[in-house]
Amino acid sequence: MTLQIAFVALGANLDAPSAQVLAAIDALDALDHTRLLKASPLYCSEPVGYLDQPEFVNAVAMLETALAPQALLDALFQIEQRFGRERSFRNAPRTLDLDLLLHGEAVIETAALTLPHPRMHERAFVLLPLLDIAPDCIIPGCGAAADYLAACTSQRLQRLEG
């Protein structure tokens, strides 16, 4: 079994979002052939796309996994379903959103999966928690994640205490 480092973004804005994100981090650690290495602090961010909804709680988890990228993505979708995720429309409010950001150095573009995540370098709510746990993170095909944070300074992000 080849182990890879993978990063997963977590977000929620319904049904006690902080508790949802923390419970989802535990669910990631419980995945078969996977272990949680680090989890970022929680952050509060404004919604993107559909604005008429509550603010989000966000975090990023670093995993060590033997799961292939598509298998890990499938496992993330199963966790979302267990947490009551409904996909009613794009950018809708949600109990839990799990995005596979990176899986080793994989660059994949299929109908079901794009790696690296295609918008991760444009979002402060992904970059800041990612850099908390992996300050030297390189986004394959893009470069250092830290180099993209300056372009996101207009996006309001607040670190949650506790």
Side-chain angles (χ1 to χ4, degrees):
M1 262 189 225
T2 303
L3 296 175
Q4 293 290 337
I5 300 298
F7 292 92
V8 175
L10 303 94
N13 71 342
L14 297 176
D15 301 339
S18 292
Q20 295 277 21
V21 169
L22 292 173
I25 290 168
D26 290 339
L28 291 172
D29 193 29
L31 285 174
D32 288 341
H33 311 292
T34 301
R35 72 181 176 110
L36 177 71
L37 297 178
K38 294 181 186 177
S40 75
L42 302 183
Y43 287 86
C44 182
S45 66
E46 295 175 338
V48 173
Y50 177 66
L51 303 180
D52 188 21
Q53 61 180 320
E55 291 184 327
F56 279 83
V57 172
N58 302 98
V60 171
M62 176 193 285
L63 308 175
E64 182 180 65
T65 186
L67 297 175
Q70 186 62 55
L72 181 55
L73 182 66
D74 293 343
L76 298 182
F77 287 153
Q78 290 173 358
I79 293 171
E80 286 181 345
Q81 286 182 323
R82 283 202 327 259
F83 278 71
R85 169 78 188 263
E86 295 178 13
R87 296 177 184 273
S88 50
F89 59 91
R90 185 172 170 82
N91 297 317
R94 59 206 79 148
T95 53
L96 183 63
D97 184 25
L98 299 175
D99 288 328
L100 181 54
L101 302 173
L102 300 168
H103 190 286
E105 295 180 14
V107 176
I108 299 171
E109 192 160 342
T110 68
L113 175 62
T114 301
L115 286 177
H117 188 284
R119 292 169 300 284
M120 68 177 286
H121 64 285
E122 300 170 353
R123 296 180 170 165
F125 65 82
V126 170
L127 290 172
L128 200 53
L130 172 66
L131 292 168
D132 280 340
I133 59 173
D136 299 325
C137 181
I138 301 296
I139 303 171
C142 292
D147 292 347
Y148 290 91
L149 191 56
C152 300
T153 55
S154 64
Q155 299 171 27
R156 192 180 69 73
L157 197 64
Q158 179 182 350
R159 185 172 170 165
L160 300 176
E161 297 304 317

